[in-house]
Amino acid sequence: MNVSRRHLTILSAAGAMGFVTPLSHAEDIFSGRPMRAGFGLGVKFAQGQPIKDMAALEDLGVSWVRDTVRWAVMEPKAGGHQAFPAAFQRRLDYYRSHDIGVVFYLAYANHEAYPATARHPLAPVDPEAFGRYAGHIARLLKASGVRHVIEVWNEPHNFTLRKMVGGHWNGKPPSPWVAHYVDMVRQAVKAVKKVDARTRVITCEDVWVNHYRFLEAGLPPELDGFGLHPYTHHDAPGPERTSVHPRSEWAQPFQIVDADRSFASAAQRLRAHGRSKLGHVPQLWVTEWGWRIGSPTPDGPLDETRQAALLPRAFITAEAAGIEALLWFSLQDSVDGPYGLLGRKGVRRPAYSAYRTLARELGDHALSARLTSPSRRTEGVQAFLFKNGSGSKIAVWSADNRDRALIQPKTWSVVRAVDTWGEPVVPRRGADGITYPIGAAPVYLEFDGTAPIRWSDHIVQ
């Protein structure tokens, strides 16, 4: 997706001291691509998920998966790089035959081939050895014929690297792990681009400010983009609002979001800072995003119904922000607890139906317009228009999770309404006219090909 076409003019304000100055309201990105191009999913086959669940990828309409083989498996002895294990090769064959791309994340420390010594305590994460691992993976993925992106590590502040090298979780100086990670990225980018300059390489972090720290530490200009894990905190009612505040103390001296704390503004600001340091507009990939059953929210512990409601909102919010792909976390619970579309015994959660419905309702449609005000991205009703040829659909929901009613204007010709789980929505007909229930879970309204679609805030009660 060429996100730069729509918003290069608003990416120019990156401060010389590493501080992003105030920007205008974040602009939506209308790429013209079908929504399914950004539909991704984190799979758990490397963590014990049964291979029979792979059929779910086709059922769900997935375009990208996140998968891996650990460094120590690929190089059990120094210099002894191996072919992909048979189980992973079978997955690659499936991905290729179903036109599913793979985001392959490079992980983790290799204590087997490069054991730590008193003289070289960081040998298991040696940047040059890690770069050779990256290059080897790039060669194998290129030969596989599978669409692919290579992601450098997984949350380095959280998994292994910071604990080995030292420093703060938010990269605040002194944090030697930041420079070490950036050196690993440099070596990985160099090795991968030598194999195939077209292979995209991205970073990875779930702490927004650490992407700024990496840029300040000297990420290579050949880097293609950033892998984000924008999990929200208990005070965010949904994906429209980040966990970050405009003046979060732990993020200083950077301002990561606008006053509304919108995901859109966070994405815009990171692109702006990335462009100022890399010399090009970086791609943004959300390689993990989801909600754990039972986690705190402003409305109480999150249940399965609310988890399902948040899923399509996250995908639509990400598409409007110009995200390359969102890889929902995750297909199955496995070792991480109840995040999955499937429980550990394979039982489908409501979020499974929400994903499948999203793909069937909007997969072939392109985001065309935001109908509700861009000045209220994190509150009230959100409505987006999608087009597929002459066909039009609207997705509408309440960002604050309140129940409301949408009064159908007389000029609208709605031919079909479906809820988040794929069930028909029966409108109420009364003195006010035809009304549809609107709440935390999106409703999809389908129009005939010629009906004008105009929005007014007055149609919502």
Side-chain angles (χ1 to χ4, degrees):
M1 173 175 43
N2 183 7
V3 298
S4 62
R5 289 176 300 169
R6 299 281 305 191
H7 66 278
L8 272 175
T9 57
I10 60 173
L11 292 182
S12 60
M17 298 303 293
F19 185 88
V20 179
T21 55
L23 301 174
S24 60
H25 283 299
E27 294 185 2
D28 292 314
I29 309 298
F30 305 120
S31 68
R33 70 176 189 173
M35 283 286 290
R36 72 172 67 258
F39 291 166
L41 191 57
V43 295
K44 297 295 189 66
F45 302 117
Q47 295 175 299
Q49 182 173 7
I51 198 67
K52 65 180 178 62
D53 289 348
M54 190 168 287
L57 300 177
E58 185 177 9
D59 184 44
L60 292 167
V62 171
S63 292
W64 289 93
V65 295
R66 188 172 186 240
D67 207 339
T68 192
V69 180
R70 302 282 181 110
W71 181 7
V73 174
M74 298 304 300
E75 189 183 3
K77 295 182 180 180
H81 294 101
Q82 305 293 304
F84 282 135
F88 184 75
Q89 185 60 54
R90 286 193 292 272
R91 300 203 295 272
L92 280 181
D93 293 341
Y94 182 93
Y95 301 153
R96 183 184 61 253
S97 64
H98 291 81
D99 192 25
I100 297 173
V102 59
V103 175
F104 188 105
Y105 66 96
L106 304 171
Y108 289 108
N110 191 343
H111 297 277
E112 287 79 0
Y114 303 98
T117 66
R119 188 174 180 181
H120 299 292
L122 299 180
V125 291
D126 177 75
E128 292 188 1
F130 184 79
R132 292 191 292 272
Y133 160 53
H136 179 61
I137 294 299
R139 282 188 289 273
L140 294 178
L141 289 175
K142 182 180 180 181
S144 75
V146 176
R147 292 186 290 114
H148 58 277
V149 172
I150 293 180
E151 185 177 27
V152 182
W153 211 266
N154 175 51
E155 300 179 7
H157 95 275
N158 192 25
F159 291 100
T160 307
L161 195 61
R162 180 178 65 88
K163 298 171 185 176
M164 289 186 67
V165 184
H168 302 283
W169 64 271
N170 63 344
K172 178 182 177 181
S175 289
W177 75 267
V178 170
H180 191 96
Y181 175 70
V182 168
D183 196 9
M184 295 175 77
V185 173
R186 289 195 198 101
Q187 295 296 332
V189 168
K190 179 181 177 181
V192 170
K193 297 297 184 180
K194 185 175 181 180
V195 172
D196 185 355
R198 296 169 298 177
T199 295
R200 288 172 287 185
V201 184
I202 60 177
T203 59
C204 177
E205 251 300 351
D206 71 336
V207 178
W208 279 97
V209 73
N210 283 340
H211 294 286
Y212 289 76
R213 307 286 191 198
F214 301 155
L215 284 164
E216 295 299 311
L219 287 173
E222 297 82 8
L223 182 75
D224 294 283
F226 312 129
L228 314 176
H229 296 178
Y231 293 105
T232 60
H233 288 172
H234 60 84
D235 65 342
E240 302 82 10
R241 183 179 299 172
T242 67
S243 60
V244 188
H245 292 261
R247 298 294 175 183
S248 291
E249 184 277 332
W250 53 265
Q252 296 301 310
F254 307 103
Q255 183 179 345
I256 297 173
V257 293
D258 290 350
D260 63 0
R261 295 173 55 191
S262 65
F263 177 85
S265 68
Q268 177 181 310
R269 285 177 175 275
L270 182 55
R271 281 199 194 93
H273 199 65
R275 179 174 178 247
S276 74
K277 298 295 183 180
L278 301 176
H280 64 87
V281 180
Q283 296 180 355
L284 301 185
W285 291 72
V286 174
T287 57
E288 283 188 21
W289 201 3
W291 280 261
R292 188 181 193 275
I293 303 299
S295 59
T297 76
D299 305 313
L302 183 130
D303 60 17
E304 292 188 348
T305 301
R306 180 59 55 83
Q307 181 194 52
L310 297 179
L311 184 150
R313 288 164 56 177
F315 277 96
I316 295 170
T317 297
E319 182 69 14
I323 300 301
E324 294 292 319
L326 190 169
L327 288 89
W328 182 261
F329 191 80
S330 55
L331 177 56
Q332 191 233 31
D333 289 351
S334 187
V335 300
D336 295 296
Y339 284 92
L341 304 181
L342 303 172
R344 297 193 69 174
K345 295 183 178 180
V347 176
R348 294 179 178 180
R349 290 201 173 97
Y352 186 101
S353 296
Y355 197 121
R356 184 171 57 183
T357 300
L358 172 70
R360 293 179 178 181
E361 292 299 318
L362 299 183
D364 294 325
H365 287 64
L367 176 62
S368 177
R370 173 187 289 274
L371 300 179
T372 45
S373 173
S375 66
R376 300 184 64 194
R377 296 175 181 273
T378 61
E379 58 186 20
V381 171
Q382 306 292 305
F384 291 85
L385 175 66
F386 300 84
K387 294 276 193 178
N388 179 13
S390 61
S392 301
K393 292 185 181 182
I394 287 177
V396 57
W397 68 88
S398 293
D400 54 14
N401 302 322
R402 287 177 50 194
D403 291 332
R404 293 178 167 89
L406 185 154
I407 304 172
Q408 179 178 317
K410 294 181 180 179
T411 58
W412 284 13
S413 179
V414 178
V415 297
R416 180 171 163 269
V418 175
D419 68 15
T420 292
W421 300 274
E423 298 297 325
V425 175
V426 179
R428 183 177 66 85
R429 301 176 184 271
D432 294 333
I434 300 174
T435 62
Y436 296 87
I438 303 299
V443 170
Y444 306 103
L445 303 178
E446 182 177 352
F447 296 77
D448 69 22
T450 59
I453 303 172
R454 297 184 179 89
W455 182 272
S456 168
D457 289 342
H458 299 297
I459 69 175
V460 178
Q461 294 182 341

